Amino acid sequence: FLFLFEMRLVVLALTLCLVQTCLAHSCVTTISDDNGNVYLFDLRDLILNGSSWRALQSTPSGIPAYDYYFNFCNDIEDESIMKNCAPSERPAAAVQMDHIYKECRRTGSASELFFSRYGEHSLNITYGGGAPCSKWNRQFHILMKCGPESTANLKITEDTPCMYAVEFQHPA
């Protein structure tokens, strides 16, 4: 009886995992808070076809150092961006572009997409599978917050080497 109960738990856990994966690839996911409340995030309207979102990372003196281009839940389809990326850096859901040399580095892949809770009612979207960097591969995080309007000026932070984050505000 105990073995049968354990098997049912494993099947239930696998089913939940498969549902979460299915939702993630459609750019719809749910996140629970500590009180058991479930929040639905539907990000499909943020997917850009043939274009990409852009964020800047500046030097301490305020001079732009890198541009970051990314898409939600999909790879970047903007060929004006991707033409600077070597075949080894493609496909990519997020890339880092050097201002001077126009070198492109993949910072995340849509095939390694993960959703998690960020703060009280916000969502962290993590793209793994970036280009090698020091001891690990680059990662790109989009920290989604609900707000009255979409964020206009996106800025990148790099609090941990090779882990890039952008806060993105969007109406619920």
Side-chain angles (χ1 to χ4, degrees), residues 29-79:
T29 191
T30 57
I31 301 295
S32 300
D33 66 14
D34 295 336
N35 298 323
N37 299 312
V38 177
Y39 301 93
L40 174 71
F41 292 87
D42 185 346
L43 307 173
R44 291 176 290 188
D45 288 343
L46 298 174
I47 298 170
L48 297 178
N49 295 313
S51 183
S52 59
W53 295 95
R54 179 178 175 232
L56 299 173
Q57 182 182 37
S58 298
T59 64
S61 62
I63 300 170
Y66 296 102
D67 283 331
Y68 290 79
Y69 298 92
F70 62 96
N71 203 352
F72 283 87
C73 309
N74 270 350
D75 291 323
I76 298 169
E77 297 175 359
D78 187 344
E79 192 53 35

Side-chain angles (χ1 to χ4, degrees), residues 113-132:
L113 172 65
F114 304 97
F115 294 104
S116 60
R117 196 173 95 201
Y118 169 68
E120 192 60 27
H121 306 289
S122 302
L123 177 68
N124 177 23
I125 304 166
T126 301
Y127 294 100

